Amino acid sequence: MILVAGGTGTLGTHIVRALTAQRTQVRVLTRRAERASHLAGTGAEIVVGDVRDPAAVEKALAGTSAVVSAVQGFAGTEPAGPRAVDLGGNANLIRAARAAGTRQFVLISAAGAAPDSPLDLRRVKYQAEQAVIGSGLQWTILRPTVYLETWISLLGDMLATKGAVTLFGRGTNPINFVSAYDVAALVERVTATEFAAAAEFTSATLEIGGPEDLTLADLAGRVLAERGAGGPIRHVPLPVLRAMATLLRPVKPMIATLARFGVIMDTTDMTLPRDTARAAVPGLPATTLADLQAGAAATDLHRT
Ligand SMILES: NC(=O)c1ccc[n+]([C@@H]2O[C@H](COP(=O)([O-])OP(=O)(O)OC[C@H]3O[C@@H](n4cnc5c(N)ncnc54)[C@H](OP(=O)(O)O)[C@@H]3O)[C@@H](O)[C@H]2O)c1
């Protein structure tokens, strides 16, 4: 039995589908049962609980051989933000896994996780990685680039609600996007019995990206074109974004975080020089934006 914490999310949904397709028994931890309604039919067991609640986590881990942590508090503000969820929640999962005798821990981190990152989430991810590394469990850390599905959905929602797309910054920086489908395929391989004990996956931190670097302006243009929407793409200028990231921190921390992320996506190297996951695991799918647009269902994940 594998526990997928965050099994209702964009990546988690693909992980649950990939694992159950291999007849692996899966348990999903979610804060609200209805968030897992789209997983009916996969055969996954659904347990309700919050990763911030040690008792709920202990119950969820009983009888498991592995745990995959795909939770995040990125868009939340504390006490539901990165510190509480990505750090506190993962600490609870680690503690409970050790107590339950769970063998393997797979942590979904993020490309760019570093102790000195300007982005809070990346610093917190790095700290969570350190906790997993010191846990005594058999661990694998995966650091994906940015998910195509997340951005297709974000831009599509913007278009649906505002009738236009507004990008944070110039939108001209090349960014490596990976499909959550590909990352889920990697999780499936890493947890598969024949691989779980393999040296290249234990005590390994693997970076995974996709086959394409795209600018946000490219991506937005292609999302608009697919939906038959013309119209200009608007931009929040970088100086305004920088001011938002600082000035809004005390009053609107969520918007300040998004503005800071926008600055980083627009001005720092967002490509992936070495895809260590694809080097270690041959044969992973390499899903492109065109692939996702051709199979519309894949871009329209859970909506509850
Ligand atoms: N999106 C990206 O571009 C990207 C890029 C690199 C890495 N990542 C990492 O990949 C992982 C998955 O990201 P995602 O974008 O697929 O996430 P997502 O769609 O935003 O879903 C977040 C998941 O976290 C769960 N969650 C949040 N707070 C929780 C809590 N207090 N207790 C229990 N569950 C909680 C949610 O479950 P319920 O709402 O059902 O409770 C949901 O399943 C995360 O670790 C993220 O940091 C994401």
Side-chain angles (χ1 to χ4, degrees):
M1 171 73 79
I2 298 182
L3 177 75
V4 184
T8 59
T10 304
L11 172 64
T13 296
H14 279 300
I15 294 175
V16 172
R17 290 191 179 136
L19 291 175
T20 53
Q22 297 300 318
R23 301 184 187 281
T24 303
Q25 286 188 303
V26 173
R27 185 180 291 155
V28 169
L29 178 67
T30 174
R31 288 164 295 175
R32 296 201 325 267
E34 65 270 24
R35 289 263 309 143
S37 57
H38 62 292
L39 297 174
T42 61
E45 181 190 335
I46 309 300
V47 293
V48 175
D50 193 307
V51 284
R52 295 168 299 171
D53 172 4
V57 170
E58 241 168 70
K59 246 169 90 180
L61 272 156
T64 57
S65 58
V67 53
V68 178
S69 173
V71 294
Q72 71 168 354
F74 172 61
T77 49
E78 303 301 349
R83 285 196 181 276
V85 177
D86 295 86
L87 199 54
N90 279 317
N92 286 338
L93 286 168
I94 291 166
R95 206 176 303 116
R98 291 175 56 167
T102 307
R103 205 181 56 247
Q104 189 185 17
F105 199 109
V106 180
L107 175 72
I108 310 299
S109 180
D116 55 354
S117 169
L119 203 63
D120 194 35
L121 180 78
R122 288 178 175 175
R123 290 195 302 276
V124 166
K125 285 289 197 193
Y126 178 81
Q127 290 169 28
E129 290 181 354
Q130 296 308 303
V132 174
I133 291 167
S135 67
L137 298 164
Q138 179 187 312
W139 58 268
T140 307
I141 292 167
L142 305 182
R143 290 179 169 180
T145 57
V146 184
Y147 302 157
L148 270 173
E149 289 85 347
T150 303
W151 280 86
I152 292 171
S153 153
L154 220 139
L155 294 165
D157 287 353
M158 225 188 258
L159 189 63
T161 55
K162 311 252 189 248
V165 161
T166 304
L167 299 182
F168 275 15
R170 301 158 299 183
T172 51
N173 196 29
I175 297 168
N176 185 269
F177 285 92
V178 63
S179 167
Y181 178 81
D182 298 0
V183 182
L186 174 63
V187 171
E188 191 279 315
R189 295 287 296 277
V190 165
T191 53
T193 327
E194 72 268 30
F195 284 108
E200 62 265 46
F201 299 135
T202 50
S203 313
T205 299
L206 301 174
E207 255 132 15
I208 176 160
E212 294 171 308
D213 292 345
L214 298 168
T215 68
L216 275 183
D218 284 341
L219 182 63
R222 287 171 67 182
V223 169
L224 287 175
E226 190 215 6
R227 290 167 203 228
I233 297 171
R234 297 179 192 143
H235 297 264
V236 180
L238 269 175
V240 176
L241 264 191
R242 288 200 171 96
M244 284 166 67
T246 310
L247 299 176
L248 292 181
R249 203 161 190 167
V251 278
K252 299 251 183 221
M254 204 166 101
I255 298 180
T257 299
L258 294 176
R260 178 157 287 113
F261 192 49
V263 172
I264 283 167
M265 285 186 80
D266 210 43
T267 58
T268 66
D269 183 1
M270 294 288 292
T271 63
L272 184 66
R274 274 198 69 220
D275 194 319
T276 50
R278 290 183 191 276
V281 187
L284 289 174
T287 307
T288 61
L289 173 60
D291 292 333
L292 289 183
Q293 290 189 315
T299 63
D300 192 23
L301 291 167
H302 67 288
R303 285 182 190 274
T304 54

